Amino acid sequence: LGAKAAAALSRESGPALAALLLVLALPLLSRWLYRGATRAMGGSDMASVLLPLWIHSYRDTEAAAEIRSRAAELQSYDISLSKAGVAPLQLAILAGAATRLLLASGASKQLHLTIAGTKGCVVAAMSLPWPAYVVAGWVFSARALAAMRGRMLGACEAVGGDARRLAPSITTTANLIGTGLTLGWGMLLLDSLSLGVALSTAWGALGLGGVALSLGLRDAVGDFVAGLQLLISPNFKVGQTIELGSGVKGMVVGIGATSTTLLTRTGVSKAPHVVPNSAIMSAKGGVKNLSEAWHRYFEKRLSLRAESMAHVDKLCGKLREYLAAHPEVIQNTLMAADRAYAAVSSLEHGVVTVTVKCSVRKKDKPLFSVLTGDMLLELGKIVEEAEGVSMVRPVDELLETMHSRRQQ
C-alpha cells in the first residue's frame, strides 16, 4: 500500500510542482496582463463600465462623464481587476492541486475515517475542490467591487463640484451589488459543500428570514426601501436645501441606504441632523426642495411724502419702467399675482406707502442678498430724483403717528 501511495505521489508531484510555480508567478503574470489589457483597450476604465452611475439630470450627465474620465486617469495596478484576481486564483489553483494529492495518496479516505469515524472519502463528501472555487469567486467579486467603488469615489473627490453629489449613489449602488453577491455566493457555497442544504432550502430559509425581518426589523427595512426609492427617483440631491413637513430644514450633505443627513442651523452654528429615509418619504406635507424654486420674491414698501398724488403716480410709472428694464426681473410669470408692479398700497396720516414687488431669477442666498441691496439703492435713487416726492424717515413717521394719536 505504501509503494502504491508513493508511486501515485510521484505521478502527481509534477503537476503539483507546476501548480506551486504558477502560484508564485501569478503576481508577475498579473502585472503583464494588466499592462497588455490597458494598451489593448486604449486606457479605458472598466470601473465606469461595470459600476453604473444613476443619472437624473443634464448636470449629472456632465458630472458622470467627468468622473469616468478621471477614473480612467486614476487607474493603476493596485486598484485594478487584475490585482483583485491574484489571490482568488492562487486559492483555486492550490485547492485543485491539494485535491489531486489527497486522492492520489489515499489521505482523503484516512481523513474521512478520522473525522467521520466511517469509511468514505473527504473529497467526495465535500465535493472538493468546488467549495474552494466558490470561495475564490466570492473573494474576487468582493475585491473587484471594493476596487471599483474606491476608484469612482476617488474620481468624485478629484473632480469636485457637482460630481460630489453622485458619491452617495455610488456608495449605495456598490452596497446593493455587494449584498446581492453575498447572498448568491453564500447559497452556492452551501449547495457546493453537499451538506444537505439545497438551493430550494436556502430560498425557503430566505423567505422565513424575510418574514422575521418584516416583523422584527420593520423600521430598518422601511428605511432601506425608502432609500432605494430615493436612489431610483430622487426628490433632491446632495448640496440642495430641503424642508420637511415636520419643519426640519437644512442642506443635504449625505444620502445613505437607511438615513439622510441634513446640515441644519442650531442657534449660531450648524450641525448634522440625521433623518430616517422612511420619515422623509412619509413626511406629512411632503418635502419642499427649496433649491429647485423657480424664482424668489422681492417686495419692499416705500414710505413717502408727496406734494400731490400726481407726483406719486409719476413716481410709480418710473418704478415700473425700472422693473421692466431690469435683467433679473421675470416679466412673464406663470401666475398673474407674481408679476412685477409698483402701486400705492396705503394712505395714512399724510404718508403715502408705495409697494414694489416682483419675481427675480433664482439665486443663492448670498447672491440674492447682493441683488436685493443693489435694487434698494436704485429704488432710493429714483425716489431722490423724483419731483414732489421725498422719503419719510422712520423717526419722523413714528413722531407723526404719536402726534396724531394724541390729537385723537
Side-chain angles (χ1 to χ4, degrees):
L1 182 61
K4 292 181 179 180
L9 284 175
S10 64
R11 289 195 304 268
E12 295 295 334
S13 60
L17 182 59
L20 181 60
L21 293 177
L22 181 58
V23 167
L24 296 177
L26 267 180
L28 182 59
L29 295 176
S30 176
R31 287 184 178 274
W32 288 349
L33 177 63
Y34 169 76
R35 294 173 183 173
T38 303
R39 293 176 183 175
M41 297 180 63
S44 63
D45 180 29
M46 289 297 294
S48 61
V49 177
L50 299 179
L51 192 63
L53 291 174
W54 296 93
I55 307 300
H56 302 285
S57 66
Y58 178 75
R59 294 174 63 184
D60 288 348
T61 302
E62 294 182 342
E66 294 180 359
I67 289 174
R68 292 189 179 99
S69 177
R70 186 58 60 90
E73 297 175 0
L74 295 177
Q75 64 180 350
S76 63
Y77 173 74
D78 293 332
I79 54 175
S80 65
L81 300 182
S82 300
K83 176 65 177 297
V86 171
L89 190 56
Q90 288 176 330
L91 174 62
I93 293 173
L94 290 176
T99 301
R100 293 174 63 92
L101 290 176
L102 286 174
L103 291 175
S105 62
S108 179
K109 296 181 179 180
Q110 186 62 38
L111 280 176
H112 190 278
L113 184 62
T114 303
I115 296 173
T118 59
K119 292 183 179 181
C121 179
V122 169
V123 173
M126 300 187 66
S127 300
L128 297 178
W130 290 108
Y133 293 162
V134 174
V135 172
W138 193 345
V139 172
F140 171 72
S141 62
R143 288 164 61 94
L145 182 62
M148 288 187 291
R149 179 179 59 186
R151 290 174 63 182
M152 299 298 281
L153 292 178
C156 287
E157 290 296 327
V159 174
D162 293 337
R164 289 194 177 97
R165 299 184 304 170
L166 296 178
S169 65
I170 292 174
T171 302
T172 304
T173 301
N175 292 339
L176 292 176
I177 295 175
T179 302
L181 291 174
T182 299
L183 292 175
W185 285 116
M187 288 189 296
L188 287 177
L189 180 61
L190 292 175
D191 186 66
S192 64
L193 286 174
S194 299
L195 298 178
V197 180
L199 288 179
S200 58
T201 306
W203 281 114
L206 287 178
L208 293 176
V211 174
L213 283 175
S214 63
L215 295 177
L217 300 176
R218 180 170 52 190
D219 295 338
V221 173
D223 292 337
F224 182 74
V225 173
L228 290 180
Q229 294 177 354
L230 289 177
L231 176 65
I232 297 174
S233 56
N235 300 323
F236 50 84
K237 303 172 185 176
V238 174
Q240 293 183 334
T241 301
I242 64 173
E243 182 178 357
L244 305 182
S246 58
V248 178
K249 176 182 175 182
M251 185 180 69
V252 181
V253 295
I255 303 176
T258 58
S259 63
T260 297
T261 304
L262 305 179
L263 193 62
T264 59
R265 183 179 295 277
T266 56
V268 296
S269 63
K270 291 186 177 181
H273 188 121
V274 180
V275 182
N277 288 334
S278 59
I280 295 177
M281 298 301 295
S282 61
K284 293 182 179 180
V287 179
K288 296 180 182 177
N289 192 336
L290 303 180
S291 297
E292 294 293 337
W294 291 355
H295 54 76
R296 300 192 69 167
Y297 289 117
F298 173 87
E299 182 176 3
K300 298 297 176 184
R301 291 177 174 84
L302 306 178
S303 298
L304 308 173
R305 283 190 181 281
E307 298 178 0
S308 66
M309 295 305 296
H311 291 96
V312 176
D313 186 29
K314 188 176 181 180
L315 173 64
C316 291
K318 292 182 179 180
L319 294 176
R320 295 189 195 101
E321 292 177 359
Y322 167 74
L323 295 177
H326 200 289
E328 296 296 332
V329 176
I330 301 175
Q331 307 299 333
N332 298 322
T333 58
L334 294 178
M335 301 179 63
D338 295 334
R339 294 176 183 174
Y341 70 87
V344 176
S345 59
S346 175
L347 289 173
E348 293 182 358
H349 310 298
V351 177
V352 180
T353 302
V354 175
T355 300
V356 180
K357 183 178 179 181
C358 62
S359 300
V360 298
R361 304 185 189 282
K362 186 185 71 174
K363 293 181 178 295
D364 295 334
K365 188 172 182 179
L367 296 178
F368 180 71
S369 299
V370 174
L371 176 62
T372 301
D374 293 341
M375 293 183 67
L376 287 176
L377 288 175
E378 293 297 328
L379 294 177
K381 292 178 181 179
I382 294 174
V383 174
E384 289 179 350
E385 296 173 357
E387 296 180 359
V389 178
S390 61
M391 297 285 291
V392 176
R393 293 182 299 176
V395 176
D396 295 340
E397 184 177 359
L398 178 60
L399 292 176
E400 287 190 1
T401 302
M402 295 175 62
H403 180 67
S404 63
R405 288 180 179 177
R406 288 176 181 177
Q407 289 180 347
Q408 293 175 1

